[in-house]
Amino acid sequence: MRIIRGEAKGRKIQVPREKKLRLTSDRVKESLFNLLPDMEGIFFLELFAGTGNVSLEALSRGAKRAVLVEKEPAWVNLIGKNLEALGFGERSEVITGPVERVLPFLQERGDRFDIVFADPPYEKGHIAGTLEALGGGEVLKDTGLVVVEHAIREETGKRYESLALRDRRRYGDTVLSFFALDRG
């Protein structure tokens, strides 16, 4: 797995040898960043971060700050190693814990993000709760965007609290669903 663009372009990132972690493919990652706004100065939040692959790409492309949330200690350790190896330690923070507990903490702390990327384990029922928490909270900036990577077999609703579906793109068995705030 490599960084595709930006200051760390071509650099390899460490990935676990175990098979139970599903990585965002380079094809999906490249398509995602082609659809997102320029990363320069962006505050990026990655939920269910795994290896931190997507945040590493965002930081390489100029994101000002990335916060990565992952509950598996071994993966948190791997994320930290990748951040340091690429020189992104100063512009990032890794928080260990389940998303449902970390989101209220981030809100209480006053963190606000331009882009939230969530890649929950496929078909485990995490999508609705995560989107409801994001739509009902204040961690997303008013002009922010939430992107959820999920399996084609998983349905997402069109609305979660104040989040409304704006776009959906399919890449084989993977779907990227894009949500934005709609408080009207």
Side-chain angles (χ1 to χ4, degrees):
M1 179 112 335
R2 295 180 186 272
I3 301 296
I4 299 170
R5 301 249 186 276
E7 66 183 86
K9 178 181 178 182
R11 303 262 314 265
K12 288 183 179 180
I13 60 173
Q14 292 182 35
V15 295
R17 291 194 170 107
E18 56 191 88
K19 299 282 188 203
K20 73 178 193 176
L21 182 64
R22 179 193 40 76
L23 302 170
T24 298
S25 73
D26 283 350
R27 177 177 167 239
V28 171
K29 185 169 64 168
E30 179 70 20
S31 297
L32 168 67
F33 281 95
N34 286 338
L35 294 166
L36 291 175
D38 179 32
M39 289 292 110
E40 200 63 40
I42 292 289
F43 285 80
F44 196 90
L45 173 62
E46 185 173 1
L47 305 174
F48 308 96
T51 62
N53 177 23
V54 176
S55 288
L56 293 167
E57 187 72 35
L59 288 163
S60 181
R61 292 174 184 234
K64 185 172 185 172
R65 182 153 177 76
V67 175
L68 301 89
V69 179
E70 176 54 58
K71 72 176 186 176
E72 280 298 322
W75 299 340
V76 168
N77 185 42
L78 184 66
I79 292 168
K81 287 178 182 177
N82 281 325
L83 287 166
E84 291 305 318
L86 295 173
F88 299 145
E90 296 287 320
R91 295 171 30 215
S92 60
E93 177 183 10
V94 183
I95 301 175
T96 307
V99 166
E100 62 273 8
R101 289 201 182 135
V102 175
L103 282 175
F105 165 76
L106 293 172
Q107 182 171 320
E108 184 177 301
R109 195 167 78 171
D111 289 9
R112 308 260 331 255
F113 299 93
D114 299 289
I115 297 173
V116 177
F117 178 78
D119 185 7
Y122 280 11
E123 301 180 66
K124 300 287 185 192
H126 295 288
I127 293 174
T130 301
L131 288 170
E132 285 168 7
L134 288 166
E138 295 294 327
V139 297
L140 186 64
K141 291 182 180 179
D142 289 342
T143 58
L145 190 63
V146 175
V147 183
V148 179
E149 180 178 336
H150 57 93
I152 188 70
R153 297 169 302 281
E154 291 177 281
E155 292 292 322
T156 62
K158 294 188 187 305
R159 188 169 192 90
Y160 296 89
E161 300 287 334
S162 61
L163 281 178
L165 181 67
R166 294 289 184 240
D167 194 5
R168 185 174 281 143
R169 303 288 176 108
R170 181 178 176 183
Y171 306 93
D173 288 339
T174 299
V175 176
L176 296 175
S177 293
F178 296 78
F179 293 85
L181 289 174
D182 178 11
R183 298 191 197 271

